[in-house]
Amino acid sequence: MKIVVVGASGELGNQVADILAERGHEVVRANRGTGVDAYTGDGLAQALSGADTVVDCLSLETLSAKKAVDFFRTTAHNIGRAATAAAVGQVVVVSIVNADDPSVNAKFGYYQGKAAQEAAYRDVVDPASLTILASVQWFELAEQMMGRMAFGPVAVVPKMWCRPAAAGDVAKVVADTATAAPVLANGGGVRKIEVAGPAEMSLVEVAKAVAGRRGSPRWVLGAPVGGPAIRGGGLVPANPDVVTPTTLEQWLARRVDASAGSAS
Ligand SMILES: NC(=O)c1ccc[n+]([C@@H]2O[C@H](COP(=O)([O-])OP(=O)(O)OC[C@H]3O[C@@H](n4cnc5c(N)ncnc54)[C@H](OP(=O)(O)O)[C@@H]3O)[C@@H](O)[C@H]2O)c1
């Protein structure tokens, strides 16, 4: 199959593209570095020409609802319309469990962007060709957050109650979905697949485990951002369709201990 991965240089997209290429598919890695800008639309039609599937793994770094909504809505419209024009058989968009729920995203601008992204795809893509793959937070998110909000020996991480998964496990589910035939949800409508990790915990706990293994940052603090639903379990799926295998301990051993080993 010919599969276009938009956001292929990112944490998830890079792994999805690698898995698909290893499985023998023709993979088009689409991001600004390869000449495809999903926001302006430049290069999209060419990248999608003759494709069987397009996978949207785009992201931007912002907490601003205005920026997130503008980015995710615009890119979803551009990709969805280009995919329809090129008769691409399946569009898979990676989203976040419950980010489309107004009671969860009310105080979290990025999640409002993800809600706008899902809605924009539903507007422009035939439901039979669209799959929304909603993942829980990844263990890697704790690393990303510590990198973004570091002040000397202190890192700040949002207090989130979640059921985190390893991004590598989620990438496998995305790759499986991208190569399976698209289907409508039971009873019609857009299919949504929810992916969760093996156990519930707080993101602060994940960050502290990473920091403890690395020896830095020295202190990790939890910040009450994003509203009570984020802290109180609103991000945890009630009945996930897929439960990924990698535990926090296994992920730490692979990601943190292995990178420490390669650095020494
Ligand atoms: N982090 C989590 O815990 C988590 C959990 C569940 C779901 N998700 C979702 O997973 C998806 C991927 O997240 P990620 O953390 O892997 O993203 P990421 O590492 O930040 O990567 C973002 C990708 O988007 C590309 N990009 C940005 N603007 C672009 C543009 N205008 N045109 C083309 N490409 C553009 C970037 O490439 P260039 O800069 O080279 O263009 C990069 O490849 C997101 O939708 C996110 O919401 C994340």
Side-chain angles (χ1 to χ4, degrees), residues 6-7 36-39 41 44 48 54-58 73-85 88 91-92 117 121 124-125:
V6 188
V36 178
D37 189 326
Y39 187 79
L44 265 182
L48 291 178
V54 56
V55 185
D56 181 341
C57 298
L58 283 173
R73 180 180 286 149
T74 304
T75 53
H77 277 153
N78 288 344
I79 295 169
R81 287 190 181 122
T84 303
V88 174
V91 177
V92 179
Q117 180 187 41
Y121 271 113
V124 298
V125 176

Side-chain angles (χ1 to χ4, degrees), residues 12-28:
L12 184 75
N14 183 39
Q15 298 189 64
V16 171
D18 283 352
I19 293 167
L20 290 168
E22 274 160 26
R23 292 180 185 174
H25 297 287
E26 182 190 345
V27 177
V28 177

